[in-house]
Amino acid sequence: METIQCCPECGAEIQEGQTCQENFYQMLGWESEQPANWAVHHLTVLCYHLQHPSLYSPEGLRAGFTLLTDFLERGTTPTEVRKQRGAQVDSGARTWKIKGTPESHGAYDPPVVWSITTNQVIAAGIDNYCDSVRAWANSTLISLKTSGYIPLQ
């Protein structure tokens, strides 16, 4: 009998031998297999990290909130973000870390309840990948707003 557990960060049910990280790697593989799937790469990486906040520093997590809002509400493209914020996030110029460390990492207190996680994206399959990732991104934004981490506008 398989043991079902929950991801300690996003709360997704995980089957024995399946983790959110493995799902994430599968999604990256689908982007390599079908280049059209690369169109949502920025959302894939961002949503995975936002739902697993210890991967970010506290400052990196806040920057992720801004990116998600820019992408979904303002229609900003990754190219535009790189042009607008390249100097701010340049590792030689910025005074804060993006990546979390055991001593300093992002967290949600209280936790966020996510309506879509990596599990649902994987279950929808490679042929529905872009639509699934966009739905995941929109649900992530709604969950962060509902939880009060991103202000309602």
Side-chain angles (χ1 to χ4, degrees):
M1 182 178 233
E2 281 194 55
T3 303
I4 297 177
Q5 298 177 335
C6 290
C7 173
E9 287 210 77
C10 75
E13 284 189 1
I14 50 177
Q15 304 283 333
E16 199 171 303
Q18 172 197 2
T19 66
C20 293
Q21 184 177 44
E22 288 166 339
N23 287 344
F24 177 63
Y25 291 153
Q26 178 63 64
M27 289 185 260
L28 297 179
W30 287 349
E31 291 174 4
S32 295
E33 289 174 33
Q34 292 186 7
N37 287 339
W38 184 256
V40 295
H41 176 76
H42 60 295
L43 297 175
T44 300
V45 173
L46 184 56
C47 288
Y48 178 72
H49 282 71
L50 288 172
Q51 289 188 356
H52 298 86
S54 70
L55 297 172
Y56 278 136
S57 68
E59 299 85 0
L61 187 60
R62 287 190 294 276
F65 297 158
T66 301
L67 278 176
L68 188 63
T69 303
D70 285 350
F71 290 142
L72 298 180
E73 293 186 345
R74 295 179 185 89
T76 308
T77 67
T79 301
E80 291 169 332
V81 167
R82 282 189 290 277
K83 286 179 186 174
Q84 293 169 358
R85 297 199 190 110
Q88 294 171 342
V89 296
D90 180 300
S91 61
R94 88 179 120 72
T95 58
W96 52 277
K97 293 185 182 294
I98 293 174
K99 186 177 177 186
T101 65
E103 299 79 32
S104 179
H105 57 81
Y108 298 117
D109 186 22
V112 177
V113 176
W114 308 106
S115 58
I116 298 176
T117 63
T118 62
N119 289 345
Q120 288 80 16
V121 177
I122 293 298
I126 190 171
D127 293 331
N128 300 304
Y129 181 70
C130 288
D131 289 338
S132 296
V133 170
R134 288 184 187 104
W136 182 29
N138 282 306
S139 76
T140 298
L141 180 62
I142 290 167
S143 294
L144 287 167
K145 285 184 170 198
T146 302
S147 299
Y149 292 101
I150 295 179
L152 298 171
Q153 295 179 345

